[in-house]
Amino acid sequence: NDPRIRVSIIPYAEAVNTGSLADTVFVETEMGPKVPPPIDAAVPVSATVSDNCATERKDKDGYADYSSVGPYTQRRDNQGKIYLAKVNRDYRVKVCPTATLVPLTADEDKLVTAIDHFQAGGVTAGGIAAQWGYYMLSPSWRTAISSARLGAGPANFDRNRVAKIAILMTDGQFNTAFAGGRGASRSQDQGQRSRANAENICDNMKRDGIEIFTIGFDLNDPAMTATERDQAKSVLKDCATDDTSSLKHYYEAANGAELSHAFGEISRNIEKLTISR
């Protein structure tokens, strides 16, 4: 029987380490194309590098792609050639997190071990984190995940039978992005791009029936400016599913005890959601 509850974890900093899903990544070069080579290219191009990291997926014009389509989906480039919709590793990435993502699993020991090895550090690419959270809940990624022998992959979207939940947590302002959305101002800085990307991806997740809870951890840290604090809280509130009379979706936690309490309350809210379905 399928396990009743499965959990995925997406650690992130400047990028997301895809681990055994490295085949889904297209590695950019500074002067090279921003989409993978055509599938009928005469010379095969390696899809991975040793760090297995990924940033935003880009469309054929270099804009951030907010969809959850699978990495083996066929698309056409600006020359009409067919390529696979793999996820970019921007050439400007400097530091790849060592902690790798964990696709949906019911193996509690595996999840706890992954968390125990987390180390804080680096910048905060929140839009990239939201993107990979979306992928790990999207049935379009089932083939890639199962082919990598990382489990059965996500179930189909079915609001009446399957509750899909995303919890997005950050301890700081989203401040890193390598691609902006189509139509976005070219004057956007990395923080503006990261927050806009996250909000657009969250909108798509919610349209697909994914319930989103968000947690801001230690956002009242005096090291943050008032503007940084307001921006961090704003994107988390925008990403979260709207509250109802019985369900709260946005949380703040100032310390470990409050963080544990927030996760406990979210767990109870998820139980309410599953019972109602």
Side-chain angles (χ1 to χ4, degrees):
N1 293 330
D2 290 337
R4 178 171 174 267
I5 298 173
R6 293 183 297 158
V7 176
S8 172
I9 300 176
I10 316 294
Y12 67 101
E14 185 176 13
V16 167
N17 190 323
T18 65
S20 297
L21 286 174
D23 183 60
T24 68
V25 178
F26 166 64
V27 180
E28 294 180 17
T29 59
E30 182 172 2
M31 303 304 294
K34 300 310 178 222
V35 295
I39 58 176
D40 61 354
V43 180
V45 178
S46 173
T48 62
V49 290
S50 59
D51 65 14
N52 300 336
C53 257
T55 51
E56 298 92 352
R57 176 160 51 194
K58 298 174 185 175
D59 66 16
K60 63 182 181 179
D61 298 314
Y63 294 107
D65 172 11
Y66 301 140
S67 76
S68 67
V69 301
Y72 306 131
T73 301
Q74 294 188 356
R75 290 179 165 174
R76 291 190 181 273
D77 63 20
N78 285 323
Q79 285 70 49
K81 296 285 189 177
I82 296 174
Y83 69 95
L84 300 182
K86 296 192 175 189
V87 185
N88 296 57
R89 182 201 187 278
D90 194 280
Y91 69 91
R92 291 166 290 184
V93 171
K94 294 182 175 63
V95 180
C96 179
T98 56
T100 63
L101 62 80
V102 180
L104 289 171
T105 180
D107 186 338
E108 183 177 350
D109 289 340
K110 183 176 184 178
L111 295 165
V112 171
T113 298
I115 293 170
D116 285 344
H117 285 86
F118 286 175
Q119 291 184 330
V123 292
T124 309
I128 296 170
Q131 163 192 285
W132 278 92
Y134 194 13
Y135 295 163
M136 293 301 98
L137 292 171
S138 171
S140 299
W141 277 72
R142 187 184 301 140
T143 297
I145 291 168
S146 60
S147 296
R149 299 185 178 182
L150 295 172
N156 290 336
F157 289 118
D158 184 343
R159 301 184 193 207
N160 295 321
R161 300 184 63 186
V162 179
K164 297 204 176 202
I165 313 293
I167 303 172
L168 180 60
M169 186 183 79
T170 181
D171 62 354
Q173 179 194 39
F174 290 178
N175 57 18
T176 301
F178 299 95
R182 186 177 294 274
S185 171
R186 293 185 178 274
S187 64
Q188 280 187 335
D189 61 27
Q190 284 203 61
Q192 290 170 320
R193 287 198 298 269
S194 183
R195 293 188 292 276
N197 290 350
E199 289 169 353
N200 278 284
I201 291 166
C202 287
D203 285 345
N204 285 349
M205 293 171 76
K206 287 182 279 192
R207 273 195 290 270
D208 281 338
I210 297 171
E211 196 99 4
I212 304 178
F213 295 88
T214 59
I215 304 174
F217 181 63
D218 198 22
L219 295 185
N220 291 317
D221 183 342
M224 296 179 72
T225 67
T227 298
E228 289 172 340
R229 186 175 300 112
D230 289 345
Q231 289 172 339
K233 293 181 179 182
S234 176
V235 70
L236 291 177
K237 290 176 180 177
D238 287 344
C239 263
T241 297
D242 291 339
D243 289 342
T244 66
S245 59
S246 60
L247 290 178
K248 176 182 175 182
H249 292 84
Y250 168 70
Y251 293 82
E252 292 183 21
N255 52 50
E258 291 184 8
L259 184 61
S260 294
H261 178 77
F263 272 107
E265 190 166 326
I266 290 171
S267 295
R268 289 187 289 274
N269 285 340
I270 292 172
E271 284 294 328
K272 292 179 185 177
L273 285 170
T274 56
I275 290 171
S276 68
R277 299 182 189 199

